[in-house]
Amino acid sequence: MSLFIGVDVGGTKVLAAAVSTSGRLVRTARRETPDRNEDPMVVEDALTDAVHAVAGSRRVDGVGIAAAGFVDAAGERVMFAPHLPFRGEEVRARLMERWDTTVMLDNDANCTARAEVTYGAARGATDAVVITLGTGIGGAVVIGGRVHRGRNGMAGEFGHMQVVPQGRACECGGVGCWEQYCSGNALARAARARLGEAPTLLEQACDGDPDLLTGPMVTSAAEQGDQLALAAFEEIGSWLGVGTANLVAAFDPDVVVVGGGVCDAGDLLLGPARHALSTSLVGVGHRVVPPVLRATLGPSAGAVGAASMVRIAVQDHPRVFRTSGTRARARLRAARGTSRRR
Amino acid sequence: MSLFIGVDVGGTKVLAAAVSTSGRLVRTARRETPDRNEDPMVVEDALTDAVHAVAGSRRVDGVGIAAAGFVDAAGERVMFAPHLPFRGEEVRARLMERWDTTVMLDNDANCTARAEVTYGAARGATDAVVITLGTGIGGAVVIGGRVHRGRNGMAGEFGHMQVVPQGRACECGGVGCWEQYCSGNALARAARARLGEAPTLLEQACDGDPDLLTGPMVTSAAEQGDQLALAAFEEIGSWLGVGTANLVAAFDPDVVVVGGGVCDAGDLLLGPARHALSTSLVGVGHRVVPPVLRATLGPSAGAVGAASMVRIAVQDHPRVFRTSGTRARARLRAARGTSRRR
């Protein structure tokens, strides 16, 4: 039986998983993500350690890597990642040489979308928009059943679409970005801004210090019926619906899938989002409005999608991938030869 | 030699054109578009008249129709059009029966995009975003060299993406839609709002009546260096850049093409747009920013793209199109039989 492994490299932890053809996690290993100021080689060591822990003594047919950062159009490098040490290294070729197997690389949101389209909420959809609400917003565009990566591999950066002119400053350098109004951080901010308006469980949850308020605290309070927390979800959910309406106007997908930690609140988030979508979307009387569904694969979706990506590539195009692996290794050796000669 | 005809059905006029394999207009005919309150049959008569005028006595291999309205996902019906009498009639099947040739139907923005990708500014691009600035905004998404139409055939409705919360009311029923800030109408409004601020050629152009001010008057004044008109273009161009940055964040295309009448001003419009794109777009330091190019095919792009659409379909898939034509006619006859029996 073949063995395909997916590895999700997040800002805080690495999850490696052997994934079955039906998308089931057969065996997993977790490691801490090394600090972003470490040498990239330290991250590669952690990945290697996790992959070996999952593989044991078995031959690995392919490893897919889902990285929390910008992956280039060719799927060779992590160009930039706020929480990882990579800055344009040829990660794919290096790991392919080190592991002697086919390796594929993409960003985590794209891998999550692959998992949801293949095994999850978007199964069977031709065109889908996948939105991941965590600290910020991750996103992916699926067209004709395939993830659309774009010229730079940067398609799906929905979180940095401007929704408010001269709005809140964003870490990206822009202003008024969607993720400043709709994300885990935005949820905590929305609740914080309401403290004192009414009695709330959140006062106790954060020990009276608004700065300690987190998204999960707001979710927990909202699930207990806390009015202030529910109002925060109403605000974030409405922003989710408005931004989704913009994406649906542009792509007209079959389905919209929403994942990420903020989505643990389920309909407390998606209810207001669906309402705002149906009131904001153009031509509602002349179209099928796509369902807005909660992602079903949870935090392992990135690893599952990464494994699926490499499985499909190797099985559908074995010659291409053997060739490109060899080429990538040859390129790497040539580059090293060059630098030795310098 | 084969004869493929493209027909652009706009709000005021019909343009039919025999189009060569290189995208050249070989022969054209123009007709007035009948009033939207007429019977749909009157529009079909006008189209028939124009197609016959172009074809003469020659056999027609296929007719592509570019309609200013929502065309359904199957390309069979014009579901709704603000300036045409169509309301869901099976236009394609009816005209195929009437003309006894292959007929294909899509909306005008999608046909314009096909023309620009095949013969125009986006030639050779894999992925493109095409924006048409007329009275409002038309748009199209090209992925992998093909127009992405979406579940309802309504992809590319960029003009109704919200850019200002609680912003200007839009004819679509929404508020803050992009086309309220960036279009021919928005250009005239921007100039109107500035009247009196400084001496301007526009006072004379509109005979002192601001309500008579049009986009072309503003373009003409700007081309003569009129500061007030230039400021209006600066405003519209900046909005063009901000909205384009949103689309590029989502799609990451190779190129952005801007067409439509407002684009006659060239760099007076595109200069501010490129500037706003480069300051608004996420990850500018880590990506190739796509060029923002002026469309090259002008007002006949819709007809050229419609002809190209049907030419490619018939030549690449002759059996499919013969089959689907027969089926469409059979469906139509069955429907008529049913209505007769009522």
Side-chain angles (χ1 to χ4, degrees):
Chain A
M1 234 182 71
S2 55
L3 173 61
F4 290 96
I5 294 176
V7 186
D8 188 88
V9 191
T12 56
K13 63 179 196 306
V14 172
L15 167 67
V19 180
S20 76
T21 47
S22 61
R24 202 167 47 83
L25 302 184
V26 177
R27 197 170 167 181
T28 60
R30 286 180 174 76
R31 296 291 180 273
E32 302 249 305
T33 303
D35 188 84
R36 62 165 295 188
N37 298 314
E38 291 280 3
D39 189 277
M41 197 57 75
V42 179
V43 182
E44 293 175 19
D45 290 345
L47 299 187
T48 302
D49 191 37
V51 166
H52 283 172
V54 168
S57 60
R58 295 180 55 196
R59 191 174 68 80
V60 178
D61 295 281
V63 181
I65 298 176
F70 293 150
V71 173
D72 70 347
E76 294 287 347
R77 306 157 190 258
V78 179
M79 299 308 289
F80 173 77
H83 305 293
L84 302 175
F86 297 124
R87 295 289 179 278
E89 293 82 7
E90 287 213 332
V91 177
R92 184 171 100 98
R94 272 154 55 153
L95 292 176
M96 194 140 56
E97 170 152 286
R98 184 159 175 183
W99 299 343
D100 196 26
T101 188
T102 300
V103 175
M104 291 189 72
L105 175 68
D106 201 353
N107 82 47
D108 49 0
N110 285 345
C111 289
T112 294
R114 286 187 183 93
E116 292 294 337
V117 165
T118 312
Y119 308 112
R123 191 163 42 184
T126 302
D127 305 328
V129 164
V130 180
I131 301 164
T132 311
L133 296 182
T135 312
I137 293 181
V141 177
V142 176
I143 303 276
R146 294 167 52 96
V147 170
H148 166 69
R149 302 192 66 251
R151 174 175 190 168
N152 301 281
M154 285 170 69
E157 284 292 336
F158 307 146
H160 302 286
M161 298 171 78
Q162 187 187 92
V163 294
V164 180
Q166 285 95 46
R168 293 177 189 150
C170 183
E171 289 81 3
C172 78
V175 295
C177 293
W178 190 24
E179 71 176 34
Q180 293 301 321
Y181 300 86
C182 179
S183 63
N185 280 351
L187 177 67
R189 184 195 282 124
R192 209 175 287 132
R194 284 178 167 78
L195 288 176
E197 282 180 10
T200 171
L201 299 169
L202 293 173
E203 295 279 8
Q204 201 184 343
C206 68
D207 273 341
D209 182 353
D211 289 346
L212 299 180
L213 205 62
T214 64
M217 289 177 196
V218 184
T219 300
S220 168
E223 283 168 345
Q224 294 169 68
D226 186 272
Q227 290 302 310
L228 194 148
L230 287 169
F233 268 105
E234 180 79 30
E235 178 182 328
I236 302 308
S238 294
W239 274 114
L240 176 57
V242 168
T244 297
N246 286 351
L247 293 170
V248 172
F251 290 100
D252 192 7
D254 301 321
V255 61
V256 176
V257 175
V258 184
V262 184
C263 215
D264 290 348
D267 286 347
L268 299 180
L269 174 76
L270 298 184
R274 291 178 187 123
H275 178 73
L277 170 63
S278 69
T279 55
S280 303
L281 180 62
V282 62
V284 162
H286 302 284
R287 72 193 299 160
V288 179
V289 178
V292 178
L293 304 177
R294 185 176 169 182
T296 58
L297 295 173
S300 60
V304 171
S308 174
M309 163 176 74
V310 71
R311 178 189 294 277
I312 289 169
V314 169
Q315 291 184 342
D316 287 4
H317 308 285
R319 290 188 54 187
V320 173
F321 279 87
R322 244 172 254 141
T323 310
S324 83
T326 310
R327 273 191 201 144
R329 275 175 286 202
R331 252 205 325 270
L332 186 69
R333 287 201 192 100
R336 283 186 185 153
T338 310
S339 60
R340 267 189 217 117
R341 279 196 294 276
R342 263 180 206 147
Chain B
M1 234 182 68
S2 56
L3 173 60
F4 290 96
I5 294 176
V7 187
D8 187 87
V9 192
T12 56
K13 63 181 196 303
V14 171
L15 167 67
V19 180
S20 77
T21 48
S22 62
R24 201 167 47 82
L25 301 184
V26 177
R27 194 168 170 186
T28 60
R30 284 179 175 75
R31 299 291 182 272
E32 303 249 304
T33 303
D35 187 84
R36 61 164 295 188
N37 298 315
E38 289 280 3
D39 189 280
M41 197 58 77
V42 179
V43 182
E44 293 174 20
D45 290 347
L47 300 187
T48 302
D49 191 38
V51 166
H52 283 173
V54 168
S57 60
R58 295 180 56 201
R59 191 174 67 81
V60 178
D61 296 281
V63 181
I65 299 175
F70 293 148
V71 173
D72 69 348
E76 294 287 347
R77 309 157 188 257
V78 180
M79 299 308 289
F80 173 77
H83 305 291
L84 301 175
F86 296 124
R87 294 292 178 276
E89 293 81 9
E90 288 213 332
V91 176
R92 184 171 101 97
R94 271 154 57 154
L95 292 176
M96 194 140 56
E97 170 153 289
R98 185 160 173 180
W99 298 343
D100 197 28
T101 187
T102 300
V103 175
M104 288 187 73
L105 175 68
D106 201 352
N107 82 47
D108 49 1
N110 284 346
C111 289
T112 294
R114 285 188 184 91
E116 292 293 338
V117 165
T118 312
Y119 308 111
R123 193 163 40 183
T126 302
D127 305 328
V129 164
V130 180
I131 300 165
T132 312
L133 297 182
T135 314
I137 293 182
V141 177
V142 176
I143 304 276
R146 295 167 52 96
V147 170
H148 166 68
R149 303 191 65 250
R151 173 173 190 168
N152 301 282
M154 284 169 71
E157 284 292 337
F158 308 146
H160 301 286
M161 296 170 80
Q162 188 187 91
V163 293
V164 180
Q166 286 95 46
R168 291 177 190 151
C170 183
E171 289 80 4
C172 77
V175 295
C177 293
W178 190 24
E179 71 175 35
Q180 293 302 320
Y181 301 85
C182 178
S183 62
N185 280 350
L187 177 67
R189 183 195 283 125
R192 208 175 289 133
R194 284 176 167 78
L195 287 176
E197 283 180 11
T200 170
L201 298 168
L202 292 172
E203 295 280 8
Q204 199 182 346
C206 68
D207 273 341
D209 181 353
D211 289 345
L212 298 181
L213 204 62
T214 64
M217 289 177 195
V218 184
T219 300
S220 168
E223 283 166 345
Q224 294 169 68
D226 187 90
Q227 289 303 310
L228 194 145
L230 288 169
F233 268 105
E234 181 78 29
E235 178 181 329
I236 302 307
S238 294
W239 274 114
L240 176 57
V242 167
T244 298
N246 285 352
L247 293 171
V248 172
F251 290 100
D252 192 9
D254 301 320
V255 60
V256 176
V257 175
V258 184
V262 183
C263 215
D264 290 348
D267 286 346
L268 299 181
L269 174 76
L270 298 184
R274 290 178 189 124
H275 178 73
L277 170 63
S278 69
T279 55
S280 303
L281 181 61
V282 63
V284 161
H286 303 284
R287 70 192 303 158
V288 179
V289 178
V292 178
L293 305 178
R294 184 175 170 183
T296 57
L297 296 172
S300 60
V304 170
S308 173
M309 164 175 74
V310 72
R311 178 189 294 277
I312 290 170
V314 168
Q315 292 183 341
D316 287 4
H317 308 285
R319 290 188 54 188
V320 172
F321 279 87
R322 244 172 250 140
T323 310
S324 84
T326 310
R327 274 193 201 144
R329 274 177 285 204
R331 254 207 321 271
L332 186 69
R333 288 203 190 100
R336 282 186 184 153
T338 310
S339 62
R340 269 193 212 111
R341 277 196 295 277
R342 263 178 206 148

